Amino acid sequence: MPEFTARFASPAEIAGWDAHVTANPNGGNLLQSEAFAEVKSDYGWKPLYLVYESSDYRSYNLVLEKSFPVLGRLWYLIKGPDAADVADIRAMMTATVGLIKRARLNVFAVKIEPDIVDGARARAVLADAGLVKTFNLQPNDSTAILDISPEENQLLRNLHSRGRNAVRRALREGVEVRQVEPTEQNLTSMYVLMAGTIAEKGSTQIRDYGYYRRFWNGFIGRGQGRLYFVYEDNRPSVGAFVINYGNKGTYKDGGSLQKRSQYGDSHLVQWVAINAIKELGVTEYDFCGTPPADRLKDPSHPHHGLGMFKTSFTKTVTDFVGCYDLAVRPLTYKAWTVAGERLFRQLYTRRTGKQFY
């Protein structure tokens, strides 16, 4: 098992951050990106840039830091650390605690959510490293991932029959998908479609428009994001925001009118987006959120409908290990879990109207 050191990235490394992250063992994650770090810096988090080094490899990871009166600082390694194997995480956490203590950073806990596939071995290794399972934060801790490396005809044949048939029918019936510019009108239309879809499903989990505007423009401005619409009666009826980050594509945001006449339009949006980002060297496509594999067909799950749509492209659901906490100062961490986290989340939301994480 390799030993790791932990340090903060140099200014030169931060300047080329995305290139470093996408060279990580698992190719990084869009939530570790430069664009995302900029968004979170306006929403109560301080971005830090952490580098793990061993004799075998180097891993670059975004850390989001929040400070709390009396308690100290919380570190959130969003979608990290990026490790070649779950067994490496123990050494990475040891190195993290060493850095925190040497630099006297007053961090009481480190929250991680590595893109490690869930399973008995992974859970045992993480528990043995002193990590405590906590509630998941990201929508794609369970998700559908499609291998898009085959050529177009073979890729179409590889789709689940429901998705393949919907794409073919939409093509036959002349459904048109357009990539559009991030004008204020288009971004507003996209937000309206998202908000309507979420309201229809009985959920209130949507951030403010300013958050999405900053997020979408940040990725589009770096050549890492694309916005697609289908139109009916001269207005957007289906929208999708898709990200290309390294060799990974992600269907990050989407929405649609509930009453539409064009069959297969939402499937065709995905098909067009997938084939476009393939030209950029993307080889896998994350549909970004489904129910866990063991609840995929459970109609009571709040993401049941999304899961059915996304697994109409690929039957496979991948469950990642999700969030784990490492207590750097156990007594302070206990105070955080008993009351502190709930209190500070309520205060932040009440004060700002925004989501805490």
Side-chain angles (χ1 to χ4, degrees):
M1 188 184 305
E3 293 185 358
F4 283 85
T5 59
R7 62 174 175 82
F8 292 113
S10 69
E13 287 172 319
I14 295 171
W17 186 249
D18 286 338
H20 290 303
V21 171
T22 54
N24 279 346
N26 293 307
N29 188 287
L30 69 92
L31 298 185
Q32 298 170 328
S33 67
E34 178 184 289
F36 189 69
E38 284 191 358
V39 173
K40 299 306 282 186
S41 68
D42 284 344
Y43 283 79
W45 295 91
K46 178 183 178 181
L48 302 173
Y49 303 89
L50 194 62
V51 185
Y52 295 107
E53 293 175 300
S54 75
S55 58
D56 295 333
Y57 64 92
R58 185 177 292 169
S59 177
Y60 290 80
N61 295 268
L62 177 65
V63 179
L64 301 177
E65 180 185 271
K66 233 184 234 280
S67 296
F68 304 95
V70 181
L71 297 178
R73 300 172 182 175
L74 172 70
W75 274 12
Y76 176 20
L77 273 76
I78 190 164
K79 283 296 175 179
D82 193 321
D85 187 272
V86 67
D88 294 344
I89 290 179
R90 173 196 279 274
M92 287 178 164
M93 291 300 95
T94 299
T96 304
V97 173
L99 172 64
I100 289 168
K101 291 184 175 179
R102 286 195 309 275
R104 299 181 179 180
L105 298 176
N106 195 28
V107 174
F108 66 87
V110 178
K111 182 179 294 292
I112 70 170
E113 54 183 5
D115 274 346
I116 298 290
V117 175
D118 193 24
R121 173 178 177 262
R123 291 192 294 269
V125 169
L126 294 172
D128 191 55
L131 288 149
V132 178
K133 184 73 181 82
T134 184
F135 56 89
N136 293 346
L137 293 172
Q138 299 306 323
N140 63 339
D141 285 324
S142 290
T143 191
I145 298 175
L146 177 66
D147 175 8
I148 65 171
S149 60
E151 56 85 23
E152 184 174 340
N153 289 333
Q154 183 59 54
L155 178 57
L156 183 60
R157 288 193 291 270
N158 289 352
L159 299 186
H160 188 291
S161 59
R162 286 185 291 129
R164 182 172 63 250
N165 293 337
V167 168
R168 285 174 170 166
R169 179 169 167 181
L171 289 169
R172 284 197 310 270
E173 296 183 359
V175 175
E176 182 184 1
V177 178
R178 302 182 206 169
Q179 182 183 345
V180 299
E181 295 298 316
T183 64
E184 196 66 26
Q185 180 179 352
N186 285 336
L187 296 183
T188 302
S189 295
M190 179 63 185
Y191 188 77
V192 169
L193 288 172
M194 288 175 57
T197 300
I198 289 172
E200 181 73 18
K201 296 182 183 302
S203 172
T204 59
Q205 294 300 309
I206 186 169
R207 297 180 188 269
D208 62 279
Y209 171 68
Y211 181 97
Y212 286 100
R213 183 179 185 274
R214 180 78 184 269
F215 185 99
W216 294 331
N217 277 323
F219 282 95
I220 291 172
R222 291 170 172 82
Q224 298 170 338
R226 300 180 179 202
L227 180 60
Y228 294 93
F229 283 151
V230 171
Y231 291 82
E232 282 193 16
D233 300 323
N234 296 315
R235 64 169 180 158
S237 57
V238 179
F241 183 72
V242 174
I243 292 173
N244 55 278
Y245 192 67
N247 70 345
K248 297 178 180 179
T250 303
Y251 170 35
K252 177 60 179 64
D253 299 308
S256 60
L257 299 178
Q258 299 308 302
K259 295 182 179 180
R260 311 191 304 280
S261 62
Q262 299 181 107
Y263 183 86
D265 49 6
S266 55
H267 284 84
L268 189 62
V269 168
Q270 297 301 314
W271 180 245
V272 169
I274 284 168
N275 282 285
I277 63 174
K278 273 171 59 71
E279 301 300 319
L280 303 175
V282 172
T283 57
E284 71 173 45
Y285 190 77
D286 184 351
F287 284 90
C288 202
T290 66
D294 62 357
R295 294 193 63 193
L296 181 61
K297 297 183 179 181
D298 178 359
S300 68
H301 194 282
H303 298 150
H304 173 72
L306 288 174
M308 291 296 98
F309 170 71
K310 294 171 181 181
T311 55
S312 69
F313 291 88
T314 173
K315 296 180 181 180
T316 304
V317 168
T318 300
D319 294 323
F320 293 108
V321 293
C323 283
Y324 279 77
D325 286 350
L326 180 68
V328 181
R329 289 191 277 117
L331 290 178
T332 306
Y333 176 70
K334 184 176 181 180
W336 170 255
T337 58
V338 169
E341 182 175 25
R342 182 175 63 255
L343 173 64
F344 283 113
R345 288 180 73 170
Q346 290 173 347
L347 290 174
Y348 181 81
T349 301
R350 197 174 301 157
R351 178 171 56 86
T352 67
K354 300 176 174 65
Q355 292 184 29
F356 181 83
Y357 283 108

